[in-house]
Short mmCIF file of all heavy atoms in Angstrom, two decimals:
data_model
loop_
_atom_site.label_atom_id
_atom_site.label_comp_id
_atom_site.label_asym_id
_atom_site.label_seq_id
_atom_site.Cartn_x
_atom_site.Cartn_y
_atom_site.Cartn_z
N GLY A 54 -130.92 301.07 -200.01
CA GLY A 54 -130.48 301.27 -201.41
C GLY A 54 -130.04 299.97 -202.07
O GLY A 54 -129.39 299.99 -203.11
N TYR A 55 -130.41 298.82 -201.46
CA TYR A 55 -129.98 297.53 -202.00
C TYR A 55 -130.92 297.00 -203.09
O TYR A 55 -130.54 296.14 -203.86
CB TYR A 55 -129.87 296.49 -200.87
CG TYR A 55 -128.65 296.65 -199.99
CD1 TYR A 55 -127.87 297.81 -200.05
CD2 TYR A 55 -128.25 295.65 -199.11
CE1 TYR A 55 -126.76 297.96 -199.25
CE2 TYR A 55 -127.13 295.78 -198.32
CZ TYR A 55 -126.39 296.95 -198.38
OH TYR A 55 -125.27 297.11 -197.59
N ILE A 56 -132.14 297.47 -203.08
CA ILE A 56 -133.08 297.01 -204.12
C ILE A 56 -133.92 298.20 -204.63
O ILE A 56 -134.05 299.21 -203.94
CB ILE A 56 -134.04 295.88 -203.63
CG1 ILE A 56 -134.94 296.36 -202.48
CG2 ILE A 56 -133.29 294.63 -203.24
CD1 ILE A 56 -136.04 295.35 -202.12
N PHE A 57 -134.43 298.04 -205.86
CA PHE A 57 -135.38 299.00 -206.41
C PHE A 57 -136.76 298.38 -206.30
O PHE A 57 -136.93 297.19 -206.60
CB PHE A 57 -135.09 299.30 -207.88
CG PHE A 57 -133.73 299.91 -208.13
CD1 PHE A 57 -132.84 299.32 -209.02
CD2 PHE A 57 -133.35 301.08 -207.48
CE1 PHE A 57 -131.58 299.90 -209.26
CE2 PHE A 57 -132.11 301.66 -207.72
CZ PHE A 57 -131.22 301.05 -208.61
N VAL A 58 -137.73 299.16 -205.89
CA VAL A 58 -139.11 298.65 -205.77
C VAL A 58 -140.02 299.48 -206.65
O VAL A 58 -140.00 300.71 -206.59
CB VAL A 58 -139.59 298.70 -204.30
CG1 VAL A 58 -141.01 298.17 -204.17
CG2 VAL A 58 -138.65 297.89 -203.40
N LYS A 59 -140.77 298.76 -207.50
CA LYS A 59 -141.71 299.46 -208.39
C LYS A 59 -143.13 299.07 -208.01
O LYS A 59 -143.45 297.89 -207.93
CB LYS A 59 -141.41 299.06 -209.83
CG LYS A 59 -142.13 299.88 -210.87
CD LYS A 59 -141.71 299.44 -212.26
CE LYS A 59 -142.94 299.25 -213.11
NZ LYS A 59 -142.70 298.41 -214.27
N LYS A 60 -143.94 300.07 -207.74
CA LYS A 60 -145.35 299.80 -207.41
C LYS A 60 -146.21 300.11 -208.64
O LYS A 60 -146.08 301.20 -209.21
CB LYS A 60 -145.81 300.69 -206.25
CG LYS A 60 -144.94 300.56 -205.00
CD LYS A 60 -145.59 299.73 -203.96
CE LYS A 60 -144.73 299.70 -202.68
NZ LYS A 60 -145.11 298.63 -201.79
N SER A 61 -147.03 299.16 -209.01
CA SER A 61 -147.92 299.40 -210.16
C SER A 61 -149.23 298.63 -209.92
O SER A 61 -149.48 298.14 -208.81
CB SER A 61 -147.25 298.94 -211.45
OG SER A 61 -146.90 297.58 -211.35
N PHE A 62 -150.02 298.50 -210.98
CA PHE A 62 -151.28 297.77 -210.87
C PHE A 62 -151.40 296.75 -211.99
O PHE A 62 -150.94 297.01 -213.10
CB PHE A 62 -152.48 298.73 -210.95
CG PHE A 62 -152.68 299.52 -209.68
CD1 PHE A 62 -152.05 300.75 -209.52
CD2 PHE A 62 -153.47 299.02 -208.65
CE1 PHE A 62 -152.22 301.47 -208.34
CE2 PHE A 62 -153.65 299.74 -207.48
CZ PHE A 62 -153.02 300.97 -207.32
N ARG A 63 -151.96 295.58 -211.69
CA ARG A 63 -152.27 294.61 -212.74
C ARG A 63 -153.69 294.12 -212.48
O ARG A 63 -153.99 293.61 -211.40
CB ARG A 63 -151.29 293.43 -212.70
CG ARG A 63 -151.59 292.44 -213.82
CD ARG A 63 -150.83 291.15 -213.64
NE ARG A 63 -149.43 291.31 -213.99
CZ ARG A 63 -148.49 290.48 -213.57
NH1 ARG A 63 -148.80 289.48 -212.76
NH2 ARG A 63 -147.25 290.64 -213.95
N ASN A 64 -154.54 294.28 -213.48
CA ASN A 64 -155.96 293.91 -213.33
C ASN A 64 -156.57 294.55 -212.07
O ASN A 64 -157.24 293.88 -211.28
CB ASN A 64 -156.15 292.40 -213.27
CG ASN A 64 -155.64 291.73 -214.52
OD1 ASN A 64 -155.66 292.31 -215.61
ND2 ASN A 64 -155.16 290.50 -214.37
N LYS A 65 -156.26 295.80 -211.87
CA LYS A 65 -156.78 296.59 -210.75
C LYS A 65 -156.20 296.22 -209.39
O LYS A 65 -156.58 296.78 -208.37
CB LYS A 65 -158.32 296.54 -210.70
CG LYS A 65 -158.97 297.21 -211.89
CD LYS A 65 -160.47 297.08 -211.78
CE LYS A 65 -161.14 297.58 -213.06
NZ LYS A 65 -162.54 297.24 -213.13
N TYR A 66 -155.30 295.20 -209.34
CA TYR A 66 -154.69 294.82 -208.06
C TYR A 66 -153.29 295.44 -207.97
O TYR A 66 -152.58 295.51 -208.97
CB TYR A 66 -154.58 293.30 -207.95
CG TYR A 66 -155.91 292.62 -207.78
CD1 TYR A 66 -156.57 292.03 -208.85
CD2 TYR A 66 -156.53 292.59 -206.52
CE1 TYR A 66 -157.80 291.42 -208.71
CE2 TYR A 66 -157.78 291.99 -206.36
CZ TYR A 66 -158.41 291.40 -207.44
OH TYR A 66 -159.63 290.80 -207.29
N PRO A 67 -152.90 295.87 -206.78
CA PRO A 67 -151.55 296.44 -206.64
C PRO A 67 -150.48 295.38 -206.91
O PRO A 67 -150.66 294.21 -206.53
CB PRO A 67 -151.50 296.94 -205.20
CG PRO A 67 -152.64 296.34 -204.51
CD PRO A 67 -153.64 295.91 -205.53
N LEU A 68 -149.42 295.81 -207.55
CA LEU A 68 -148.34 294.89 -207.92
C LEU A 68 -147.01 295.51 -207.50
O LEU A 68 -146.71 296.64 -207.88
CB LEU A 68 -148.39 294.68 -209.43
CG LEU A 68 -147.33 293.77 -210.04
CD1 LEU A 68 -147.57 292.32 -209.61
CD2 LEU A 68 -147.38 293.86 -211.57
N THR A 69 -146.24 294.75 -206.70
CA THR A 69 -144.92 295.23 -206.28
C THR A 69 -143.85 294.39 -206.98
O THR A 69 -143.85 293.17 -206.85
CB THR A 69 -144.77 295.08 -204.74
OG1 THR A 69 -145.84 295.81 -204.13
CG2 THR A 69 -143.45 295.61 -204.25
N THR A 70 -142.99 295.05 -207.72
CA THR A 70 -141.92 294.34 -208.41
C THR A 70 -140.58 294.83 -207.87
O THR A 70 -140.36 296.04 -207.73
CB THR A 70 -141.99 294.61 -209.93
OG1 THR A 70 -143.34 294.39 -210.35
CG2 THR A 70 -141.08 293.68 -210.71
N CYS A 71 -139.70 293.87 -207.54
CA CYS A 71 -138.40 294.24 -206.96
C CYS A 71 -137.26 293.81 -207.88
O CYS A 71 -137.36 292.78 -208.55
CB CYS A 71 -138.20 293.52 -205.62
SG CYS A 71 -139.53 293.80 -204.47
N ARG A 72 -136.22 294.61 -207.87
CA ARG A 72 -134.99 294.20 -208.55
C ARG A 72 -133.79 294.68 -207.74
O ARG A 72 -133.89 295.70 -207.06
CB ARG A 72 -134.94 294.67 -209.99
CG ARG A 72 -134.88 296.17 -210.20
CD ARG A 72 -134.56 296.53 -211.63
NE ARG A 72 -135.58 296.13 -212.56
CZ ARG A 72 -135.32 295.72 -213.81
NH1 ARG A 72 -134.08 295.63 -214.22
NH2 ARG A 72 -136.30 295.44 -214.63
#
Side-chain angles (χ1 to χ4, degrees):
Chain A
Y55 284 13
I56 62 171
F57 298 124
V58 179
K59 190 177 133 200
K60 304 257 184 197
S61 57
F62 285 90
R63 182 191 284 160
N64 300 330
K65 294 178 187 168
Y66 290 99
L68 179 69
T69 303
T70 311
C71 306
R72 65 168 65 214

